[in-house]
Amino acid sequence: MLKFALSRLLSAIPTLFIVSVAVFGLIRLIPGDPASLMLGDLADADALAAARQAMGLDRPIPAQFALWLGNVVQGDLGRSVLNGQPVLDLVLHRFATSAQMVLIAVGLSVLVAVPLGMLAAWRQNSSLDLAIVAMSTLLLSIPTFWLGLMILLALGLKLGWLPVLGYVSIADNPVAGLLYLIMPVLTLVLHEAGIIVRMARASTLDVLRLDYITHARAKGLSETAVLLRHAARNAFGPTWTLIGLILGNLLGGVAVVETVFTIPGLGRLIIDAIYARDYAVVQGCLLFVAVTYLFVNLLVDLLYPLFDPRVTAE
């Protein structure tokens, strides 16, 4: 297990380097630069040159990248051009907001979708199976932003059950914080549940066709016992992998939901930094997302044998 974990960590280094090169290069393809945005359109050439020199933007691109990467290795992601705050502090603060929303949403999605997918596989080709598959396909097909807007319109504007604008942290006020999270969490649950239901159904169907399931049935076990005692654990393995991918994607890719519901999370921070041409924040956020994604997938691989005894991590 330790050897496997170390090999995965070492293999992640080239990936992170490629990601850092791509992030650093692509952000500089955006028209404009931070100096122009900070000083405005009326700034003279000397002031712009002085600002670019102070930010290190007058150096060649390779020199800028080498300096930035050297600081990153030491744990310094730079400072925001807009407010001068350390990028790492900004990222961690906003990530905490995104993480609590994502973790709640993924947890609820698993609790709802995995049993439904297994139930659909157990009752394959029945009306219940067709209903579950149809509903999951519909939820999977609806764009997240549209689903969020419809939930906002129904629960927030029409019925007035939940607050529409603003945000309160759970740490500051647990009750109010949960009220502000209900609609974004519901949006993520409905969308991601469709994916998990389909994967849980497909993996359960594969397991139910194996020989040891036939043997269990031949011993006279009830279908409920076969499903719960023999099929459920093995069927959850592929679904667990998908859950890890979803979790990694959501931790860095909830910008749409955060924008719809004005949640000040990591996704909103990335969008605001892109509009402001805040190079340090964009680079730091995207690199942090890449590291988080790799860590989540490593954790999924290490825990996979717990859910599928046929697989071992060597």
Side-chain angles (χ1 to χ4, degrees):
M1 180 72 73
L2 180 60
K3 182 180 178 181
F4 173 76
L6 290 176
S7 65
R8 286 298 306 271
L9 288 174
L10 291 176
S11 66
I13 295 177
T15 303
L16 290 176
F17 179 77
I18 294 173
V19 169
S20 64
V21 171
V23 168
F24 191 88
L26 291 175
I27 190 61
R28 277 155 178 76
L29 296 178
I30 301 176
D33 61 44
S36 301
L37 291 174
M38 287 179 62
L39 300 180
D41 298 333
L42 301 179
D44 55 43
D46 293 337
L48 286 174
R52 291 191 179 102
Q53 184 178 9
M55 298 177 189
L57 300 176
D58 60 329
R59 302 179 183 181
I61 298 296
Q64 294 181 39
F65 175 74
L67 178 62
W68 174 71
L69 189 60
N71 292 332
V72 168
V73 172
Q74 301 176 43
D76 181 11
L77 299 181
R79 290 184 173 271
S80 171
V81 174
L82 297 180
N83 52 36
Q85 295 183 13
V87 173
L88 185 58
D89 292 345
L90 287 173
V91 169
L92 292 178
H93 177 70
R94 295 294 190 96
F95 178 74
T97 301
S98 297
Q100 65 184 10
M101 177 177 65
V102 168
L103 291 175
I104 294 173
V106 172
L108 292 177
S109 299
V110 172
L111 291 177
V112 173
V114 171
L116 284 178
M118 292 182 175
L119 180 62
W122 184 35
R123 302 290 300 276
Q124 185 183 11
N125 297 327
S126 66
S127 57
L128 178 62
D129 177 31
L130 295 177
I132 293 175
V133 171
M135 182 58 65
S136 63
T137 304
L138 177 62
L139 292 175
L140 183 60
S141 304
I142 298 176
T144 308
F145 73 90
W146 188 87
L147 181 60
L149 289 174
M150 293 301 102
I151 292 176
L152 185 66
L153 178 64
L155 301 183
L157 295 178
K158 296 295 185 181
L159 298 177
W161 291 349
L162 297 169
V164 176
L165 296 175
Y167 174 76
V168 175
S169 173
I170 293 180
D172 297 333
N173 189 327
V175 176
L178 288 175
L179 289 178
Y180 279 98
L181 284 179
I182 289 177
M183 288 193 291
V185 166
L186 180 60
T187 302
L188 293 176
V189 167
L190 291 177
H191 186 267
E192 303 306 329
I195 306 174
I196 298 175
V197 164
R198 294 178 65 86
M199 175 57 76
R201 179 182 182 274
S203 58
T204 303
L205 286 175
D206 290 339
V207 170
L208 289 177
R209 298 189 182 103
L210 297 178
D211 292 339
Y212 79 93
I213 297 296
T214 303
H215 178 69
R217 286 169 172 163
K219 291 192 301 182
L221 294 178
S222 65
E223 285 296 312
T224 302
V226 170
L227 182 66
L228 297 180
R229 291 168 51 187
H230 295 275
R233 182 181 176 186
N234 292 341
F236 189 68
T239 307
W240 169 248
T241 301
L242 178 64
I243 292 169
L245 294 175
I246 291 174
L247 182 59
N249 286 331
L250 288 182
L251 286 174
V254 291
V256 173
V257 174
E258 290 176 354
T259 301
V260 171
F261 295 102
T262 62
I263 304 294
L266 187 61
R268 281 285 303 278
L269 179 62
I270 295 175
I271 292 178
D272 294 341
I274 291 174
Y275 281 125
R277 309 298 191 273
D278 198 338
Y279 290 173
V281 174
V282 176
Q283 292 164 177
C285 287
L286 295 181
L287 187 62
F288 183 83
V289 168
V291 171
T292 302
Y293 188 86
L294 290 174
F295 173 78
V296 170
N297 280 275
L298 173 62
L299 185 62
V300 168
D301 289 342
L302 294 178
L303 295 179
Y304 194 95
L306 298 178
F307 301 105
D308 193 340
R310 297 170 296 175
V311 179
T312 58
E314 299 178 354

